[in-house]
Amino acid sequence: MNIGEFFAMGGYGFYVWGSYAACALAVVTEIVAVRARLAAARRGAGDMEPSR
């Protein structure tokens, strides 16, 4: 078995590698979104100083 056959995966390579790519994109997007929400929450928490 050579590397080309491995990546072709018996004719299902496009589906398999496309699925991996879609999953990786979803994970990266979620990480970026969570970091943005955390930063916004931290900024919001800093604005909430007690009134005197």
Side-chain angles (χ1 to χ4, degrees), residues 2-43:
N2 65 25
I3 194 77
E5 291 173 352
F6 172 75
F7 285 114
M9 297 213 171
Y12 295 102
F14 181 76
Y15 171 75
V16 171
W17 296 113
S19 297
Y20 275 116
C23 183
L25 179 63
V27 168
V28 168
T29 302
E30 185 62 24
I31 290 170
V32 169
V34 166
R35 290 178 63 118
R37 287 193 305 265
L38 178 61
R42 285 183 174 163
R43 281 192 306 271

Side-chain angles (χ1 to χ4, degrees), residues 47-52:
D47 294 341
M48 296 177 56
E49 294 182 13
S51 300
R52 291 181 186 205

